Amino acid sequence: GQVIEVNELTKRYGDTTAVDNLSFTVRPGRVTGFLGPNGAGKSTTLRMLLGLSEPTAGTATIDGRPFRDRPRGLRHAGALLDAGDVHGGRRAAAHLAALARSNGIARGRVDEVLAEVGLAAAGRRRIGGFSLGMRQRLGIAAALLGDPPVLLFDEPINGLDPEGVLWVRGLFRRLAAEGRTVFVSSHLMTEMEHTADDLVVIGRGELIAAESVAEFAARA
Ligand code: ADP
Ligand code: ADP
């Protein structure tokens, strides 16, 4: 299995330190929650892991190498980032087909992942008409498209209805049981108690705890 390793990672935007000398490890075969309040630095860390943003200092690697050194793209790691920023004029299946094409993934995967996230009937609809929950499902479909060993999900619960929340918890459990590395950010401790095995807890860009959910919950 592939390990996510963040080592003395720092990101500054002018006077703002978004991520502050952060170090942690995320192991395969488990669901690891990335817990912290809004503004704690979770998205910034995930973006650096995916090579979408450069660290000011330190390293963020998947299986020992920075993501940008990976030619395999979505087949190496899949991510749900900001579900809001998908081109609204596109139809859902066409959006996934374009991602498949640019990542060397078979077109047949598009219908498979649409079915897997419960959007089989919505493939020909324009993304602009999707609810936030449907956009989250589409973002999860994009993450699954390349059948990657490593999956990152940024606030996946936002916008999902209660049934969707139960579905996504089951999906994460299944992905972890298959031996994948599953890293899920949230600002909700209660959600992570239901979803995660391990926690990486941050505040103001700094590490607060890295331990099992049971150990963290026992601190109270
Ligand atoms: P989280 O995902 O935990 O809510 P973020 O990583 O989005 O936190 O943000 C961490 C901090 O970095 C916040 O103070 C945020 O305002 C700041 N930040 C994030 N991205 C930028 C950016 N592109 N430019 C300036 N500040 C940013
Ligand atoms: P482009 O400008 O080429 O469309 P993006 O800004 O969408 O690229 O993405 C930049 C990089 O991040 C690309 O290498 C792309 O493969 C990768 N990427 C985009 N979306 C995802 C995702 N959901 N999961 C993992 N990597 C992604």
Side-chain angles (χ1 to χ4, degrees):
Q2 304 202 338
V3 172
I4 293 171
E5 199 127 30
V6 167
N7 192 31
E8 299 183 2
L9 186 67
T10 294
K11 180 70 180 187
R12 287 191 203 93
Y13 295 104
D15 290 340
T16 305
T17 302
V19 174
D20 192 358
N21 197 34
L22 192 58
S23 300
F24 61 84
T25 301
V26 180
R27 300 186 187 288
R30 311 172 66 74
V31 178
T32 302
F34 193 18
L35 181 66
N38 288 326
K42 304 182 296 295
S43 298
T44 303
T45 301
L46 295 178
R47 291 178 60 78
M48 287 190 282
L49 272 167
L50 287 166
L52 301 173
S53 167
E54 279 299 304
T56 305
T59 55
T61 61
I62 299 174
D63 203 28
R65 283 195 288 166
F67 189 82
R68 64 174 175 280
D69 297 344
R70 295 284 178 170
R72 284 159 47 77
L74 289 178
R75 288 179 290 150
H76 173 53
L80 166 73
L81 295 176
D82 184 354
D85 77 2
V86 179
H87 189 346
R90 275 263 180 91
R91 296 175 200 279
H95 166 68
L96 294 176
L99 275 180
R101 201 176 315 119
S102 61
N103 283 272
I105 296 163
R107 174 66 173 77
R109 277 294 287 163
V110 170
D111 291 336
E112 285 177 22
V113 294
L114 280 171
E116 198 168 346
V117 303
L119 291 178
R124 296 200 42 78
R125 287 173 54 187
R126 289 186 202 284
I127 300 165
F130 279 17
S131 67
L132 180 55
M134 291 174 78
R135 284 168 186 258
Q136 292 284 50
R137 287 173 184 266
L138 182 63
I140 292 167
L144 297 173
L145 193 62
D147 198 18
V150 176
L151 291 135
L152 311 175
F153 300 97
D154 198 4
E155 300 275 1
I157 303 302
N158 285 0
L160 288 181
D161 57 20
E163 190 190 5
V165 173
L166 295 180
W167 164 73
V168 91
R169 286 180 193 161
L171 173 70
F172 295 160
R173 293 247 63 79
R174 218 155 53 237
L175 293 168
E178 290 166 358
R180 298 177 211 258
T181 307
V182 184
F183 195 36
V184 185
S185 87
S186 177
H187 61 285
L188 300 170
M189 174 61 186
T190 48
E191 183 51 37
M192 288 295 98
E193 282 184 301
H194 288 292
T195 306
D197 303 299
D198 295 328
L199 287 177
V200 172
V201 186
I202 67 170
R204 296 173 192 274
E206 292 181 79
L207 188 74
I208 292 172
E211 58 198 7
S212 71
V213 170
E215 284 168 325
F216 186 70
R219 282 165 180 256

